[in-house]
Amino acid sequence: MDIILSNSSDEPIYMQIVSQIKSDIMSGNLSAGDALPSMRALAQQLRISVITTKRAYEELERDGFIENFAGKGCFVKRQNTDFLREEGIRQAEELLTKACEKGKLCGLTLEEMKEILELVYGGE
């Protein structure tokens, strides 16, 4: 599992970890039952605090992406396809919100934003 952290990102480190693990689960790079590195091992690998990895794992467990078994570790939870779709929609909405905010700052109209979306999405 490759996690790349950016010190220049506005996103907190624990959320960078959460986002990348969620992405790996949603894309199928991590499957149900796959073991995640221990909190200590991940902290050492990323050269960050164990508290940070603990917070990331707690967030993933709260969101239903992983399960923590005492003495055994954390594992990818079996996912409901509807749940994965909803999470994908939520992430798309979040990114589109940021894009719209940026477009408004640049003075783009709704029609111009629609044109950009159609080009990016591959529409006609």
Side-chain angles (χ1 to χ4, degrees), residues 76-120:
V76 175
K77 189 174 183 178
R78 186 169 172 263
Q79 299 297 314
N80 175 323
T81 53
D82 291 337
F83 174 78
L84 288 178
R85 178 173 165 71
E86 282 300 315
E87 179 63 19
I89 291 169
R90 186 196 65 74
Q91 288 179 4
E93 286 174 349
E94 186 178 309
L95 292 169
L96 285 169
T97 298
K98 289 179 183 176
C100 287
E101 288 169 358
K102 184 64 101 178
K104 286 177 184 178
L105 284 173
C106 295
L108 293 175
T109 65
L110 177 58
E111 287 305 313
E112 290 171 321
M113 287 297 293
K114 286 180 182 178
E115 287 178 33
I116 293 169
L117 180 61
E118 286 177 358
L119 285 171
V120 172

Side-chain angles (χ1 to χ4, degrees), residues 1 3 17 37-46 53 57:
M1 183 171 68
I3 294 178
I17 295 168
S38 72
M39 291 178 208
R40 278 199 173 98
L42 185 60
Q44 286 177 338
Q45 176 188 340
L46 299 174
T53 56
Y57 279 19

